[in-house]
Amino acid sequence: MSTEGSAVDTLTIEEAAAELERLAKEIAHHDALYHGKDQPEISDADYDALKRRNDAIEARFPELIREDSPSRHVGAAPSVTFAPVVHARPMLSLDNTFSQEDVQDFVAGVYRFLGRLPDQSIPFTAEPKIDGLSMSIRYENGILVTAATRGDGTTGENVTANIRTIAEIPNKLPKGVPAVVEIRGEVYMAKSDFLALNRQMEAEGKQTYVNPRNTAAGSLRQLDAKVTASRKLKFFAYAWGEMSEMPADTQFAMVQTFKEWGFPVNPLMKRLNSVADILAHYDEIGLERPDLDYDIDGVVYKVDSLELQGRLGFRSRSPRWATAHKFPAEQAFTEVEKIEIQVGRTGALTPVARLKPITVGGVVVTNATLHNEDYIKGIGNSGERIRPEEHDIREGDTVIVQRAGDVIPQILDVVMEKRPEAARPYEFPKTCPVCGSHAVREVNEKTGKMDSVRRCTGGFICRAQATEHLKHFVSRNAFDIEGLGAKQIDFFFENEDPSLQIRTAPEIFTLEKRQQQSLTKLENIDGFGKVSVGKLYAAINERRSIALHRFIYALGIRHVGETTAKLLARSYGTYEAFSTAMKEAAPLSGDAWSDLNAIEGIGEVVARAMVEFYKEPRNVEVIGRLLDEVTPEEAEQPVTSGSPVAGKTVVFTGSLEKFTRDEAKARAESLGAKVAGSVSKKTDIVVAGPGAGSKLDKARELGVQTMDEDEWLALIGG
Ligand code: IVH
């Protein structure tokens, strides 16, 4: 495979160009597999190695960086602000229709406008109305040049850097496309990705997002393209702006052409000949709606013939040839039977409303999240009112439930007229309902505000926290032990037989041995059996050696999600080095602390959480037992053959003029350097641009090598 190609520093310019071309294709191929439904063909590590090789070659031959380079695709440097983009053609909105009669009126209006009789059939297309953000993506000579949001329809925001990170959107179109192509469509977040993101947020004890649409918008309208890249946004092409040449003469054929050019298009789009057929397709899409992995809020009908579209033209803000047939809002009234509290891994007490079962948009809803005690009172995350004060949610209340993109339904409001006289404000518990420990709302050290989440202080003595901890430990991105799911964890946790009990992670790995010496056999217990027990042991034993970042993530340290775990693994290299540093680090002083904070992407909150974690003797004891059973692997180091800065810690400071900070960092890392945010004794090089201040002073004070941008470029070979 390409990662085994010749050392980057021995490549000729021709060899480098050929290899970059091959890498661009190969990585695009794996991107497509990864982001499509298919299974990836290579491991994440192999994929990363391909990308690193691409980066290393580009670092040596920056003049060879291709328009379609994978380094531009993900993590490309964002523009500093969102510059305005005037749309070559305005981005219009659609008229809404809400009933069958409205739709009949719309179709009749089209016939009337064109002077056609109903028997001279006019075909329409019908497709889902995607609940995302509309985007206009401009290609010149087949290369993506600008991507802009809709804005006010005339002027949008330039979000090109972020859009380039969306794997589903090609950076380059096939040969032979018109010189100017503007593809329009909807950027959205899949429901499953949204749920996974929220699970991750929850696991990290962070605030969860409200719905996929807002999350997608937030992911796009921020300046760090890496954040966009991590959010797995998707795209459906359904319209166009300026086109130097029209490749087809119907709506349907245009969209098929976009598909051929590499854009995802919606599979539910159909061409139909009568109002009855259109309405039938509306019903069909409505029935499929709950099973689709993206939110839709209606069906869009468009006149298929582009010639007729041209004749029909526009009203002030919307075309005469299209309309959006909206679904009725997915809301319903029901009763709150009970409010219960769930306790999570980090001790968060989450109130859940048990509802009298109700069908909302074709799905039976029995629970709704109440988020936290403020939400029950009608107060939002920033202390703002989201409902009038008397509209607090009480047991017995009749409420409006909404099932939006998120699968966990929300309670929007209380129907005050139906409040039973006996209903009393909900008293949020001040102690953990599982273990009885105090439950407290911490003050956020940064904002000084009280956290909206109340947490159980019981730690390991809390059964809920302990089992959730184990469930996290075996979860997919951690130890990923097949056959050990939530149900089995509960079973082993509750079991009183010492040969069958798992209360902490190390016991997972001693289970087989304990079983061998015991007369109570797991295989005789209901739900297990000989084959599945054999498989379970095999799955457990397979994980006796594990990637360092998975090991760190599995520990379940608050605020340490997968990304942070990867950063830590890469920075420290071995578990030994990592744990030694964590035990040494004391907040706000000493080298270990400044080294930890110097890792780009690690802030003080995370650093504190880790130090706290290692201060707890019980954690250290459990990890000690775990290390008797499991070996964390050494973290993979980037391909750095011949790099003069491999293994060095570099700090960039001042305003850089030759490259953006992201670019500098990416290049240094591709050459095997670690990029840190602050200067310490362990810093090897400080690269100072104009206006560098305290960091440069500190470097001089500590005798750390300093250089300007040109010297740095000379060192790394341009
Ligand atoms: S066609 C000139 N098709 O709905 C008409 N729009 O309310 C161009 N939308 O701004 C739009 N799915 O963001 C069209 N299949 C679809 C759509 C769709 C979602 C959005 C789009 C537009 C808004 C209008």
Side-chain angles (χ1 to χ4, degrees), residues 49 87 145 180 212 311 391 488 504 565 610 618 698:
H87 298 300
V145 290
V180 175
R311 283 175 53 196
H391 288 216
Q488 291 80 11
T504 61
M610 290 192 293
R618 156 89 191 212
K698 179 144 189 217

Side-chain angles (χ1 to χ4, degrees), residues 129-166:
K129 183 167 192 294
I130 315 296
D131 197 8
L133 288 110
S134 48
M135 194 61 56
S136 188
I137 309 166
R138 187 178 172 91
Y139 294 81
E140 289 174 8
N141 302 314
I143 304 295
L144 191 163
V145 290
T146 334
T149 61
R150 178 167 181 273
D152 63 5
T154 310
T155 311
E157 286 172 316
N158 186 331
V159 288
T160 314
N162 289 347
I163 287 296
R164 283 207 172 107
T165 70
I166 300 180

